[in-house]
Amino acid sequence: MRRDTFLKTLAALAAAGALPLTARAAANVKMMIPANPGGGWDTTGRALGKALVDAKVADSVSYENKGGAAGALGLAQFVNGSKGDPNALMVMGAVMLGGIITGKPPVSLSQATPIARLTSEYNVFVLPANSPLKSMADVVAQLKKDPGSVKWGGGSRGSTEHIAAAMIAREVGVDPAKINYVAFRGGGEATAAILGGNVTVGGSGYSEFAEYINTGKMKAIGVTSASRLKGINVPTLKEQGINVEIGNWRGVYGAPGITAEQRKQLTDLVLAALKTKSWAEAVEKNNWTPAVLSGAAFEKFVDDDFASLRATMVKSGMV
């Protein structure tokens, strides 16, 4: 076969999706991270980007951080600016669903294309090291005495830590509408506020606070899991008589208007990245729980979780 004919055949096969990923031209992926640097979405997006390159399914990955409104600002930019782009990805998760429920943004998540759920992570509540409070029992006592005096610091309004704080209030007999929740645009801002003693109690995914907990700069007082996290000596809320359990999953979406074949190819890229050594190392380092789900199953999961979160938030007086 002549060389030019061979190359044309190779190109045709690649375009049709008949070649394995490693034989196709690698993509230049654009990763939208709808949060400020330093938080869980940022860590997830950059770990996934590195894994895409390590898996040789992407030549390069560029990142754009656009924080605010529980990811709604980044979602709007992604929906409006990446239509039909088969190499665009956006990090998202339970926090975005909560933000959409409370904020009612002008764009809808359904305009983008579901690709895959990646991980799940439980929240931890912490106190600043110099706090006069020493435990979740102390926080609850203060909450009952004067709900407004307890400043809860965490991610955007509607985040899982916001929902958890409202659920805690409800469970201990305090009106959830009276909690004093301070929302931050990114994990870095929330961390700084906790370290500076500018909030009473902080909440986030365990990975975001791990180094500060380990060095004694924050005191962990409860996790939102059903049982204690492996290798982490922090009591659950349930152990402490507070019947609250809530997880924080993260995933990725593709651009609006991509074809079914482009969606499949983008999903294959992401699933290939999740098999790399660098991704496994990121999962272990950040105490993430692998929770891979793709295709129609992921799409159904998002719809079901949206309905479940809305019901929880209505019950907790948040909407």
Side-chain angles (χ1 to χ4, degrees):
M1 183 184 293
R2 288 175 52 189
R3 183 175 182 275
D4 58 344
T5 305
F6 171 76
L7 291 174
K8 287 178 182 177
T9 303
L10 192 66
L13 286 170
L19 287 174
L21 285 169
T22 52
R24 299 182 204 163
N28 296 305
V29 173
K30 286 166 275 189
M31 186 83 68
M32 163 58 72
I33 300 172
N36 288 355
W41 282 353
D42 189 58
T43 305
T44 299
R46 292 175 191 278
L48 179 60
K50 183 178 187 306
L52 286 165
V53 174
D54 288 352
K56 295 182 169 53
V57 295
D59 278 334
S60 65
V61 180
S62 58
Y63 306 92
E64 182 170 5
N65 289 83
K66 181 70 176 179
L73 297 185
L75 171 63
Q77 184 168 315
F78 185 75
V79 165
N80 295 323
S82 64
K83 292 176 182 176
D85 187 342
N87 294 325
L89 283 171
M90 177 188 69
V91 181
M92 51 75 67
V95 171
M96 182 174 283
L97 302 192
I100 289 170
I101 292 167
T102 58
K104 302 177 180 63
V107 294
S108 169
L109 183 60
S110 63
Q111 292 173 259
T113 305
I115 299 298
R117 186 181 69 187
L118 308 176
T119 62
S120 185
E121 184 178 24
Y122 289 100
N123 290 109
V124 62
F125 284 104
V126 299
L127 298 170
N130 61 353
S131 172
L133 306 178
K134 303 302 178 187
S135 66
M136 182 58 77
D138 289 347
V139 172
V140 168
Q142 183 65 30
L143 189 67
K144 289 180 175 180
K145 182 180 177 181
D146 181 5
S149 69
V150 178
K151 292 174 68 175
W152 302 81
S156 301
R157 180 173 167 78
S159 63
T160 49
E161 55 267 29
H162 184 191
I163 297 169
M167 292 170 73
I168 290 169
R170 187 191 74 212
E171 287 295 318
V172 302
V174 174
D175 182 355
K178 292 184 178 179
I179 67 168
N180 182 5
Y181 186 81
V182 183
F184 295 94
R185 289 166 63 94
E189 292 179 16
T191 297
I194 297 162
L195 293 174
N198 297 319
V199 296
T200 310
V201 56
S204 189
Y206 189 88
S207 62
E208 294 184 39
F209 293 159
E211 67 175 289
Y212 305 103
I213 293 170
N214 293 338
T215 57
K217 294 179 180 178
M218 295 179 183
K219 178 177 175 57
I221 58 172
V223 292
T224 62
S225 52
S227 57
R228 290 202 182 197
L229 301 177
K230 183 180 178 181
I232 297 171
N233 187 29
V234 180
T236 67
L237 295 175
K238 287 189 171 184
E239 278 182 65
Q240 301 176 72
I242 304 169
N243 188 28
V244 169
E245 177 188 345
I246 185 171
N248 181 17
W249 60 269
R250 298 185 181 112
V252 285
Y253 265 53
I258 60 174
T259 67
E261 181 57 31
Q262 288 171 334
R263 177 182 180 181
K264 182 183 182 304
Q265 289 179 2
L266 193 55
T267 303
D268 288 346
L269 259 63
V270 171
L271 295 180
L274 302 188
K275 295 175 182 176
T276 61
K277 181 181 178 182
S278 67
W279 179 256
E281 289 172 345
V283 168
E284 182 176 358
K285 176 184 176 183
N286 294 293
N287 291 297
W288 295 334
T289 300
V292 182
L293 200 63
S294 62
F298 175 52
E299 195 164 353
K300 182 180 185 303
F301 166 80
V302 173
D303 290 341
D304 291 347
D305 198 52
F306 190 87
S308 176
L309 275 176
R310 178 183 285 279
T312 297
M313 293 166 79
V314 167
K315 190 176 179 182
S316 297
M318 293 178 64
V319 291

